[in-house]
Amino acid sequence: MRVTAIAGGTGAAKLLRGLAACLPPRDLTVVGNTGDDAEVWGLHVSPDLDTVTYALAGRLDPARGWGLADETFRCLEGMAELGSETWFNLGDRDLATHVHRTRALRAGATLSQVTAELARRRGVAARLLPMSDAPVRTRIRTPDGWLTFQEYFVREKALVEVLEVEYAGAAAARPAPGVAEALREADLVVVCPSNPVTSVGPVLAVPGVVEALGAARGPVVAVSPIVGGAAVSGPAAELMRARGLPVSPLGVARAYAPWLRRLVLDRRDAGAATELGRLGVTAVPADILMTDGAREVALARVVLSQATHGVSPPSRPPLQ
Ligand code: FO1
């Protein structure tokens, strides 16, 4: 069964590990967010592509949810001695990824090419595609002006008020090679439990992606990153509010309308089923907190089972 997953960072990594445990790796394609990409110390860092690669390679640091396990930060200490900014912690082995990527890009490789090479060299058999080879960068407007995503999320620790979110460069971008086809032709499309605004939003902002999702041959299933009225992790609630979306599974469904068909949500949110039905979205209650490997696989099985269920036609709104 060919599965295409849209993935951001930490929230997606767990489900992707679960999916990779249930599928022949070559049947899994991941479309990764690049809106978080940043230039750090002159190097091109692609946090979400690296988080997915490290997770599927079994080398993601479990405590941080980003970067490599068993990491050291000697270069970071050296950079601090030299007065460089060090609020964005680059580990020593992680640096090799950014040096390699930056050199390849300078030599004329596309982000797709170097992403595929980095995944292959780390033993990842799944296919990892950036959402676009063109630069698209999430920017956050705060009362003190515009911030890059990493300035907002890491330097300011997401503690500043969000007035607006934009995806700079999106209008001029187009899907990376293979992305539109992977979304259209998959037997199942999975939107991982990532931040709907800053992890999935940039992917949807690339012209052609939403059209491909609307034309998807298989069902499109999302896993809610919101449980109850709160985000499972990170600033999704604040960012959804900034976008005028209710911080609830319904807000997630609205962020993914009209192409979303099924939303896997926490059992505590099963009451949203009727309202979701009005959006043409079938609620699939499940245990969505992936607190260990077994839970990652169990949730992946729930998601994969959505492909075999007859895909119910969008439920019609009740006759007025
Ligand atoms: N997140 C932090 O909270 N602090 C960091 O110092 C940090 C460094 C970092 C380095 C490489 C990388 O791939 C990710 C890193 N992240 C860090 C996480 C990153 O901000 C997030 O993974 C995504 O941008 C959001 O999903």
Side-chain angles (χ1 to χ4, degrees):
M1 175 198 323
R2 288 170 307 166
V3 175
T4 297
I6 294 177
T10 43
K14 296 180 176 182
L15 181 62
L16 289 173
R17 268 198 302 254
L19 289 170
C22 302
L23 290 167
R26 299 197 181 292
D27 285 1
L28 178 61
T29 297
V30 182
V31 177
N33 167 43
T34 60
D36 294 1
D37 285 17
E39 183 174 306
V40 181
W41 305 340
L43 300 172
H44 184 130
V45 180
S46 297
D48 285 354
L49 298 179
D50 292 342
T51 298
V52 169
T53 301
Y54 296 162
L56 294 180
R59 295 180 57 185
L60 186 68
D61 182 85
R64 292 191 299 262
W66 50 267
L68 287 163
D70 309 324
E71 183 62 282
T72 54
F73 293 87
R74 303 289 287 153
C75 184
L76 187 74
E77 291 161 16
M79 292 300 276
E81 278 168 23
L82 297 173
S84 286
E85 284 192 329
T86 54
W87 51 264
F88 196 77
N89 294 182
L90 291 182
D92 298 322
R93 296 300 289 275
D94 191 35
L95 264 177
T97 301
H98 314 313
V99 170
H100 188 98
R101 175 186 294 117
T102 304
R103 278 175 54 193
L105 293 173
R106 281 202 190 125
T110 63
L111 185 59
S112 294
Q113 289 165 338
V114 67
T115 299
E117 184 200 2
L118 287 167
R120 180 171 51 76
R121 286 183 183 277
R122 261 113 190 202
V124 173
R127 193 167 55 137
L128 176 54
L129 309 173
M131 65 194 201
S132 176
D133 282 335
V136 179
R137 297 291 178 265
T138 300
R139 296 172 53 75
I140 310 285
R141 188 163 69 82
T142 75
D144 295 333
W146 287 93
L147 298 177
T148 67
F149 178 78
Q150 300 302 344
E151 288 167 342
Y152 163 73
F153 182 70
V154 178
R155 197 188 69 199
E156 303 307 323
K157 298 182 174 50
L159 297 177
V160 291
E161 187 189 357
V162 177
L163 301 176
E164 194 180 345
V165 179
E166 72 168 18
Y167 311 117
R174 55 193 174 84
V179 165
E181 183 207 4
L183 293 170
R184 270 199 317 272
E185 300 308 319
D187 299 304
L188 178 72
V189 175
V190 181
V191 183
C192 293
S194 303
N195 186 312
V197 179
T198 55
S199 294
V200 180
V203 182
L204 305 181
V206 175
V209 168
V210 166
E211 291 76 6
L213 284 162
R217 201 173 60 77
V220 183
V221 183
V223 175
S224 176
I226 302 287
V227 173
V232 174
S233 71
E238 167 77 13
L239 289 153
M240 288 177 77
R241 268 191 288 275
R243 269 285 162 85
L245 292 167
V247 183
S248 67
L250 192 65
V252 176
R254 279 176 39 192
Y256 301 159
W259 42 266
L260 184 67
R261 282 289 160 269
R262 292 167 177 262
L263 183 62
V264 180
L265 42 65
D266 193 85
R267 298 189 193 287
R268 284 164 281 184
D269 294 316
T274 308
E275 285 182 285
L276 288 168
R278 290 200 191 100
L279 284 174
V281 176
T282 302
V284 182
D287 294 330
I288 65 171
L289 294 182
M290 296 175 277
T291 48
D292 61 28
R295 303 277 295 259
E296 293 174 359
V297 173
L299 182 58
R301 289 200 195 291
V302 170
V303 169
L304 293 172
S305 71
Q306 303 308 311
T308 45
H309 291 203
V311 178
S312 48
S315 51
R316 295 186 202 309
L319 292 176
Q320 302 307 332

